[in-house]
Amino acid sequence: MKKLILLFTILFALSAQAGHFIGSNISWKCVGPSQYIFELVMYVDCSSTIVGPVQYLNGPQGSITATREAIVPNNDTCGTTISCIYNAHVFKSDTITLVGQPPAAGWNFSYSDCCRVGSENLSTITGHFNTAVMYANNNLHSPQFYRDPEHSITLYNKMFLPKSEKGQITDSLHYVLAAPLSSLNTSIPYKTNYSATNPFPNPSTNVANGPISIHPTSGHIKFDAKVGNTGIYYYATEIEQWQNGILVGVVRRDFPATVYLLPHTNNTPVAEIDTATYDLQRVDDTYTMVVRPGDTARFEVNSYDFDLNGSNPQYLTFSAMGNALDAPWNMNSPYVSKAQIQPIFPQTIFTNPVTNDVEFEWAIAPEHAGQHGSTHTFYLSVEDDVCAVSSKRTLTVDVIVKLPLGIVPDTLAICSGDSVLLEGVTPSETYLWENANQSFSSSKKYPYANVSQSQYIYLKDGVSTDVIDSVYIAVTQPEYFALAMNNGTLYVVDS
């Protein structure tokens, strides 16, 4: 009975206080040259019946009509009781054609609602306003937020996952915490000791609380709340979308956290990767692995929890998130070679009593490195089945895919007197380029070579001086020919 009371307390914090409206995000998909379909997701109290089937976005070239396509429930299960936490109402527009290019400040696409109400961290009660910005009409998809944002902050939950993905593989994403808005460019002020970067209980509200941070490239939010009022805490997450060093878009999700910090006896499961067996580096619950195309990223996640659920052992459920994962974790991975996760025998499913062991395996291919190398982040979680305040451990694994070693291509052709740009990769990423007689030498990563005759140039590691690869420079001597003018036309007369 006490567990059900806890669940209903959390539900009250999110729904009863929040009125009918909780949060939103805006995004778009490109479906043709300068043609886009816009999506508005409204996060709404489960009991609300006043959200109409049609909503409107304010756009730079007029109002955009969006029609509801789905209502996606987010539920919590406590024993046999299934309770709705919130509903995600998904609205989509018809195809919208945008004319021209946006100004330097970008094109704003916004949505507003009347009904943001009181919270534990905002100082005023205002309406809800959200926006997304397109800085270039360049036929790209925006980043996407998933429709099930995490919201629960307890003594045993210390991380929110980003619940988002790139618009396309070539995107570089940058995440920041931002303040909720009451209108365009107008932030809602926070109460004393709260701010856009400290929207939850933090050391300024009570010294027992830990700091709040957001990882700029992966988007996970860390916190360690120990003392604070039960209730809702508004904040926003912005994703900056970059292409080749140019900011092309910004999307944001405005969604509240629910804080419930009363003590309970449910310990967090233990989950870890054995770094003595597998070549990963560990800092707290974040692991890093460096690989190159042709390698296989492989490791096991071993977890256990000896707490009891009443008189029975707790069941642990494994889940995963990452753009390079295969089904069932990701049904839309853009990669051909996808990361696989399987339970370890005799375990056959991802839910198991007391222990839960899985194996991660990923064949690394050139597509994962891109043009300059790339970092792929995976979130691997183990959660117990104690309701209403379950405990979850999340491991962050960053797989850093570096470019292949060596020089591409094997042969370069130039004309005598020209120079050629050399490009290669060494294990230490320090460089020593030399020819056989050492008349050419450079320690630059990308040097220009000017040679007068055909020869090999060798790439050595700048630390070990081991030869990594070689490239043959084929120098062509130009042939001389004579020209003559005949009736105003220039002719080749000898070659």
Side-chain angles (χ1 to χ4, degrees):
M1 184 63 182
K2 290 182 179 179
K3 294 174 182 176
L4 290 176
I5 292 173
L6 293 180
L7 174 60
F8 294 143
T9 300
I10 294 173
L11 291 174
F12 177 81
L14 186 57
S15 60
Q17 287 191 30
H20 77 275
F21 187 77
I22 298 172
S24 71
N25 53 260
I26 300 167
S27 59
W28 56 83
K29 290 280 191 183
C30 179
V31 294
S34 299
Q35 295 181 319
Y36 303 88
I37 293 177
F38 288 84
E39 179 179 277
L40 166 68
V41 180
M42 296 174 60
Y43 303 100
V44 181
D45 171 18
C46 300
S47 62
S48 173
T49 59
I50 64 173
V51 178
V54 177
Q55 300 294 325
Y56 299 93
L57 299 176
N58 293 315
Q61 297 173 9
S63 178
I64 298 173
T65 301
T67 303
R68 182 165 53 208
E69 287 199 348
I71 299 176
V72 182
N74 185 285
N75 296 326
D76 199 355
T77 301
C78 189
T80 59
T81 302
I82 300 176
S83 301
C84 177
I85 305 296
Y86 59 84
N87 285 325
H89 292 239
V90 181
F91 297 83
K92 290 187 177 180
S93 72
D94 291 334
T95 299
I96 304 297
T97 300
L98 298 176
V99 179
Q101 288 292 332
W107 281 333
N108 278 277
F109 302 89
S110 62
Y111 173 79
S112 59
D113 185 272
C114 66
C115 301
R116 191 194 298 274
V117 298
S119 65
E120 297 297 323
N121 62 344
L122 298 183
S123 63
T124 60
I125 299 174
T126 70
H128 172 92
F129 184 91
N130 206 358
T131 185
V133 186
M134 183 186 296
Y135 287 99
N137 184 5
N138 52 7
N139 304 318
L140 295 175
H141 308 310
S142 74
Q144 303 291 311
F145 286 105
Y146 299 160
R147 297 163 187 171
D148 58 342
E150 297 187 315
H151 61 87
S152 180
I153 295 178
T154 70
L155 291 174
Y156 298 96
N157 181 23
K158 302 180 185 299
M159 179 188 292
F160 285 161
L161 301 184
K163 297 284 187 169
S164 59
E165 64 182 19
K166 296 179 179 180
Q168 40 273 313
I169 295 176
T170 54
D171 282 351
S172 294
L173 303 185
H174 182 80
Y175 294 79
V176 296
L177 289 170
L181 302 175
S182 59
S183 61
L184 186 62
N185 300 323
T186 303
S187 301
I188 303 173
Y190 280 91
K191 294 179 180 178
T192 302
N193 295 326
Y194 293 98
S195 66
T197 55
N198 285 288
F200 317 137
N202 61 77
S204 295
T205 63
N206 191 291
V207 294
N209 296 321
I212 299 169
S213 64
I214 184 168
H215 194 282
T217 57
S218 66
H220 65 257
I221 301 170
K222 287 188 175 181
F223 44 81
D224 188 9
K226 292 183 171 65
V227 180
N229 293 333
T230 295
I232 64 171
Y233 291 71
Y234 281 109
Y235 75 105
T237 302
E238 285 189 351
I239 306 177
E240 299 175 356
Q241 178 188 22
W242 294 78
Q243 285 275 336
N244 299 317
I246 299 173
L247 181 64
V248 296
V250 175
V251 297
R252 68 189 335 256
R253 178 162 59 201
D254 182 330
F255 188 84
T258 61
V259 173
Y260 183 85
L261 299 177
L262 294 183
H264 56 92
T265 59
N266 184 29
N267 294 309
T268 306
V270 174
E272 57 190 1
I273 300 169
D274 184 358
T275 56
T277 303
Y278 301 101
D279 189 15
L280 292 90
Q281 303 298 315
R282 178 180 181 178
V283 178
D284 298 325
D285 281 342
T286 297
Y287 295 79
T288 303
M289 170 181 275
V290 178
V291 294
R292 297 184 189 275
D295 294 341
T296 297
R298 182 184 292 109
F299 55 84
E300 294 180 6
V301 178
N302 307 115
S303 57
Y304 62 87
D305 192 335
F306 298 125
D307 289 349
L308 295 178
N309 193 352
S311 59
N312 299 314
Q314 292 186 0
Y315 275 73
L316 304 181
T317 297
F318 174 86
S319 61
M321 191 175 79
N323 199 37
L325 285 172
D326 202 354
W329 318 110
N330 186 352
M331 306 305 292
N332 299 298
S333 175
Y335 298 106
V336 175
S337 177
K338 304 175 181 63
Q340 310 287 326
I341 301 177
Q342 299 294 336
I344 297 174
F345 184 82
Q347 185 178 320
T348 58
I349 59 176
F350 292 103
T351 297
N352 202 61
V354 184
T355 64
N356 197 311
D357 299 318
V358 302
E359 182 182 53
F360 176 102
E361 185 170 316
W362 188 24
I364 306 300
E367 61 172 336
H368 305 129
Q371 293 183 331
H372 306 290
S374 184
T375 297
H376 302 264
T377 300
F378 301 88
Y379 299 96
L380 312 176
S381 298
V382 178
E383 186 171 11
D384 64 33
D385 65 341
V386 173
C387 61
V389 187
S390 62
S391 291
K392 179 168 67 175
R393 173 86 66 187
T394 298
L395 306 183
T396 302
V397 179
D398 289 328
V399 179
I400 302 171
V401 183
K402 293 184 173 291
L403 295 174
L405 296 176
I407 307 170
V408 178
D410 293 329
T411 303
L412 293 171
I414 62 172
C415 293
S416 179
D418 291 345
S419 59
V420 62
L421 179 67
L422 303 176
E423 297 183 66
V425 179
T426 67
S428 69
E429 298 187 3
T430 59
Y431 300 85
L432 179 58
W433 300 85
E434 292 180 335
N435 60 359
N437 61 11
Q438 297 186 345
S439 61
F440 169 80
S441 179
S442 176
S443 60
K444 294 181 179 180
K445 184 175 183 179
Y446 302 128
Y448 280 95
N450 189 340
V451 294
S452 59
Q453 60 185 9
S454 299
Q455 59 186 282
Y456 282 95
I457 292 181
Y458 301 92
L459 172 60
K460 299 180 180 180
D461 187 278
V463 174
S464 68
T465 69
D466 293 336
V467 175
I468 305 303
D469 202 355
S470 63
V471 58
Y472 185 72
I473 309 296
V475 180
T476 301
Q477 300 294 334
E479 296 182 358
Y480 294 94
F481 50 88
L483 299 175
M485 186 73 69
N486 185 2
N487 296 325
T489 302
L490 192 65
Y491 289 91
V492 176
V493 297
D494 188 21
S495 62

